[in-house]
Amino acid sequence: MSLKVAVIMGSASDTDTMSAARDILEEFGVECHFEVMSAHRTPERVRNFVTQARQDGFGVIICGAGMAAHLAGATAAQTTLPVIGVPLSGGALGGTDALYSTVQMPKGIPVATVAINGAMNAALLAIQILAVSDASLAERLAVHRAELAGG
């Protein structure tokens, strides 16, 4: 069974930036669930989704959020699946606040964190994680890397 990747974001206004993750996942043939849910406005929805994610066939969860950027940490606190945080630009600090919020998780609750607005790299990292146990995906990733290098 191929594992899916969830791409969740805290606000509908994050859709344009987070679409880069969905696009890369689709390019690699990885099934993607793309949805808005907020750690602050819909915490029960986030909890229900995250606690059921493994049983629903997900292998990685990507969380995009700006400012306080609580989504990735709230997600990681409720699952042992790999969580990748995408700090999003916006607000008075241009995404630096989101970066600090995403990267500063307490011991024992890791969140892999990519650059501000780094949704594409988050998707590639998710693909690398899944490729550990999927030889076909690993081969597609190797081809992609060779193309990046001009080969």
Side-chain angles (χ1 to χ4, degrees):
M1 172 178 105
S2 294
L3 294 173
K4 304 180 283 187
V5 174
V7 178
I8 59 178
M9 65 221 79
S11 172
S13 64
D14 303 331
T15 301
D16 286 345
T17 301
M18 295 305 294
S19 290
R22 179 180 55 200
D23 294 347
I24 290 293
L25 292 164
E26 288 175 355
E27 180 181 321
F28 276 83
V30 174
E31 187 176 344
C32 172
H33 177 86
F34 192 80
E35 187 172 353
V36 174
M37 58 182 85
S38 169
H40 297 112
R41 291 182 290 276
T42 59
E44 285 300 310
R45 186 169 167 215
V46 171
R47 185 186 62 76
N48 291 339
F49 180 82
V50 169
T51 58
Q52 191 62 37
R54 185 181 300 276
Q55 292 82 358
D56 289 342
F58 291 96
V60 180
I61 301 172
I62 298 172
C63 299
M67 296 191 286
H70 190 58
L71 185 58
T75 296
Q78 299 179 84
T79 185
T80 57
L81 289 174
V83 175
I84 303 168
V86 180
L88 300 175
S89 63
L93 300 178
T96 304
D97 49 349
L99 174 63
Y100 290 155
S101 294
T102 305
V103 78
Q104 294 287 25
M105 291 296 106
K107 290 179 185 176
I109 310 295
V111 171
T113 307
V114 296
I116 296 169
N117 294 336
M120 183 176 128
N121 270 353
L124 289 168
L125 180 55
I127 291 164
Q128 287 178 270
I129 292 167
L130 297 179
V132 167
S133 60
D134 184 329
S136 173
L137 192 55
E139 179 58 31
R140 289 193 304 270
L141 190 57
V143 168
H144 175 75
R145 287 282 180 95
E147 290 170 355
L148 288 176

